[in-house]
Amino acid sequence: MVRFVNRLAALATAGILILMLGMLGTTAPALAQSKTPSPLTSKPSAPKPSASKTSVQPYLDRVVKNISEFQLSNGLKFIVLERHNAPVVSFHTYVDVGGADEPKGKTGISHFLEHLAFKGTTRIGTQDYAKEKVLLDRQDQLWEKLKAAQASKNPAEVEKLQAEFQALDAELLQVSKQNEFGQIIEQNGGVGLNATTAADATRYFFSFPSNKLELWMSLESDRFLDPVLREFFKEKAVILEERRMRIDNSPIGKLIEEYLPAAFKVHPYNQPVAGYSDDVKSMSRSDIQAFFEKYYTPNNITIAIVGDVNTAEVKQLAETYFGRFKAAGKAADRTLPVEPAQTETRTVKLKLPSEPIYLEGYHRPALSHPDNATYEAIASLLSDGRTSRLYKSLVESKKIALSAEGFNGFPGDKFPNLIMFYALSAPGHTVSEIQSAIDVEIQKLKTEPVTQTELDRIKTNARAGLLRSLSSNSGMASALVEYQVKTGTWRNLFKQVDAISAITPADIQRVAKATFRPENKTIGEIESDRG
């Protein structure tokens, strides 16, 4: 989605990329797709990033004219943008389910399923599926026996069952074709094959030469129509290791895991998308299958296709391949508890072998709220790069911090979420000094109108950020589905320039006063215990 703040640079500079990576299980979509530019990603003739609204809008209008949308009878939605600059196309499959949809005791299940969605089908990833299916069923039965033996504390039985389990695993390895799904894509010129899990959604994406459109249709429809959740226990070990690295062995990971339930008392944004260890350990293949059947339904999937394609052909092939999906029966209950208004400052403090870290977050509305652009402007003003107020004050002037940054939309933005600011204290300085210095800048925002020079810079940077995010096929595909699902229509993406241009100093002051209240704040601190 479009962001005023360059989060990748901000988080990497501060050394707190773990905020997104550790708690979400995988990277956020904008970050994942910007790490390594795809050689198959074409770029249109877009205005220069510094262009004014007047020159940007005609470009956006031309893009809009080339976008089509259609919905299959089973409810699956497609958004197609024809771009004939190069013979390449990017695909983005957006499943409207994430960590916030997970029931208690099953945290991490969205991320687990994302891992398994690359393991193939009854035709891809196996040498003999009939034989493999028998072995997979036996493996599940053996795992249940192993759990029972461990619970009854019978070491001899545990040792015997573990040996059987390892032998069965070796048999499965012989009958499977590991990574065949990815190999097919790579052999046919595909690049950027990846996926992300977040609090709000699970996304799958890669790019292909445009003459492989039908191959994409076949592969992508098959893996969600006919998935085989193979290598289940191997992936469980991988996921638990990811969690150990990003959370258990990471000071900031530990802080965020305790911070979330302090900031969100009832909304499921309070649970980590990576999942709690005990939940992941106890998860069974049948748990994953049930979750898949509940949420991976046509009415819950939106696909964006951007590149050198013909919309009529896309629609015909979509009917052929994705039309095979049965429409969902009774819709899953998607009602989530509403987070009540916070009434007092909340604080989470940890003492760990780490450099001191300070963060504070304030509740703010969802992405779809009319004030979203103003919130993004505030984040940009306070924390976007070396010209931001926090950097100039805490790092350059007072020299009490090594870095000072911030961002919106934590841990998701489909629902009301947090606008956050954080800093790493410089040697010899404390988190209390950081807190006081941030408060000074926030109070200025509430009491003094921003200057026209600052506001113009924010608007210019915002327009540039919008154009950069839309300049690649993959970036455009990601943004289209994000706005479609979270705001009701992809067209809202192209209203960003108007929203940006309409921001006034009074808007910033109004939103700052409403948001930056002590009773609306949750603080997180790491105090060093290195002695």
Side-chain angles (χ1 to χ4, degrees), residues 313-374:
E313 182 184 12
V314 170
K315 188 171 184 179
Q316 179 184 3
L317 291 171
E319 292 281 2
T320 299
Y321 288 96
F322 287 91
R324 298 178 296 164
F325 287 63
K326 291 182 180 180
K330 183 181 178 182
D333 182 12
R334 307 302 298 273
T335 305
L336 296 181
V338 177
E339 184 68 24
Q342 192 167 325
T343 58
E344 62 181 1
T345 301
R346 301 168 186 164
T347 302
V348 175
K349 293 185 179 182
L350 298 181
K351 197 167 185 178
L352 298 169
S354 164
E355 296 303 322
I357 298 174
Y358 175 84
L359 61 87
E360 63 182 39
Y362 298 82
H363 289 276
R364 54 146 291 177
L367 171 72
S368 57
H369 193 274
D371 281 328
N372 183 65
T374 304

Side-chain angles (χ1 to χ4, degrees), residues 96-266:
D96 187 18
V97 63
D101 298 286
E102 296 167 354
K104 298 296 182 185
K106 302 296 180 185
T107 61
I109 196 168
S110 301
H111 180 214
F112 206 145
L113 178 53
E114 174 228 300
H115 275 239
L116 296 176
F118 290 87
K119 301 304 178 182
T121 69
T122 57
R123 295 184 302 113
I124 297 172
T126 186
Q127 299 184 57
D128 182 346
Y129 181 66
K131 181 179 180 180
E132 184 184 27
K133 179 66 167 63
V134 172
L135 295 175
L136 289 171
D137 289 344
R138 192 191 306 168
Q139 187 183 46
D140 289 336
Q141 294 165 7
L142 193 58
W143 185 68
E144 293 296 335
K145 291 180 180 179
L146 181 57
K147 277 203 308 181
Q150 290 170 334
S152 63
K153 298 181 180 180
N154 185 337
E157 183 68 7
V158 167
E159 184 177 357
K160 172 177 170 291
L161 291 171
Q162 283 178 334
E164 289 181 32
F165 199 91
Q166 290 174 357
L168 185 55
D169 217 31
E171 283 189 71
L172 278 165
L173 189 62
Q174 293 300 314
V175 79
S176 68
K177 293 181 180 179
Q178 288 188 303
N179 197 33
E180 187 178 21
F181 184 84
Q183 288 170 0
I184 292 171
I185 291 169
E186 184 178 351
Q187 289 163 4
N188 284 274
V191 295
L193 176 64
N194 211 333
T196 67
T197 309
D200 297 327
T202 309
R203 309 163 178 93
Y204 303 86
F205 45 87
F206 65 96
S207 299
F208 248 160
S210 54
N211 63 358
K212 301 298 182 181
L213 173 63
E214 186 166 7
L215 177 59
W216 177 86
M217 290 280 182
S218 175
L219 290 171
E220 194 75 351
S221 61
D222 271 4
R223 75 158 155 170
F224 295 126
L225 183 68
D226 183 33
V228 174
L229 307 180
R230 54 175 60 91
E231 297 182 41
F232 176 83
F233 296 99
K234 288 182 182 296
E235 286 306 313
K236 178 181 287 196
V238 169
I239 290 166
L240 288 170
E241 180 56 33
E242 284 181 3
R243 189 197 144 82
R244 280 191 289 271
M245 178 180 68
R246 297 174 177 174
I247 300 176
D248 300 338
N249 296 330
S250 164
I252 189 64
K254 289 181 178 178
L255 177 63
I256 291 298
E257 186 157 277
E258 294 200 25
Y259 182 92
L260 286 173
F264 296 94
K265 293 300 185 182
V266 301

Side-chain angles (χ1 to χ4, degrees), residues 440-483:
V440 167
E441 297 306 318
I442 284 178
Q443 292 307 315
K444 284 182 186 176
L445 203 62
K446 294 162 66 174
T447 58
E448 302 173 12
V450 299
T451 66
Q452 192 60 47
T453 300
E454 284 181 305
L455 194 56
D456 288 344
R457 176 180 62 83
I458 291 168
K459 292 181 179 183
T460 298
N461 289 344
R463 284 191 292 268
L466 174 62
L467 291 175
R468 280 193 297 269
S469 71
L470 305 185
S471 64
S472 71
N473 287 346
S474 58
M476 178 68 81
S478 173
L480 287 171
V481 289
E482 197 86 15
Y483 271 78

